[in-house]
Amino acid sequence: MLQAFAPIALSGAAALLLAGATMAYLYVGSLSSLWTTPYGRLLGMKVLLVGGAAVCGFVNWRRFAAERRGRMLPEFSPSAALTVEVLFAVAVVLVTAVL
């Protein structure tokens, strides 16, 4: 099921990235505004949190793909990796609510 969902998730993530970059440019205006305005700092925090969630998602995807092939990756326990990814996602939603 994860294999079938991966292309949809990747194309959705690419569309989200393009839309987010466009909106960030329209709202922030200049690169220096990212660290000189409160909105820019919150937007930067959101980008970092989304990056963290993306890294966790990649690690989980690798782990699930390896498990499907019969190998176990010792990097993270399944519940811990999923918990961290969900925590990043919740933090993204909270920062988005403030924005």
Side-chain angles (χ1 to χ4, degrees), residues 4-84:
F5 181 67
I8 297 168
L10 288 175
S11 61
L16 187 65
L17 181 67
L18 181 62
T22 302
M23 293 307 295
Y25 175 75
L26 292 174
Y27 281 119
V28 175
S30 69
L31 191 58
S32 66
S33 295
L34 280 176
W35 54 84
T36 59
T37 64
Y39 182 85
R41 287 190 292 272
L42 275 174
L43 185 61
M45 183 187 304
K46 180 180 175 181
V47 168
L48 289 175
L49 290 169
V50 167
V55 168
C56 287
F58 176 75
V59 168
N60 286 328
W61 171 74
R62 270 192 65 222
R63 188 176 44 77
F64 286 133
E67 286 176 5
R68 235 185 67 239
R69 290 189 298 268
R71 295 181 329 157
M72 294 297 287
L73 296 179
E75 297 161 348
F76 297 105
S77 71
S79 61
L82 287 173
T83 301
V84 171

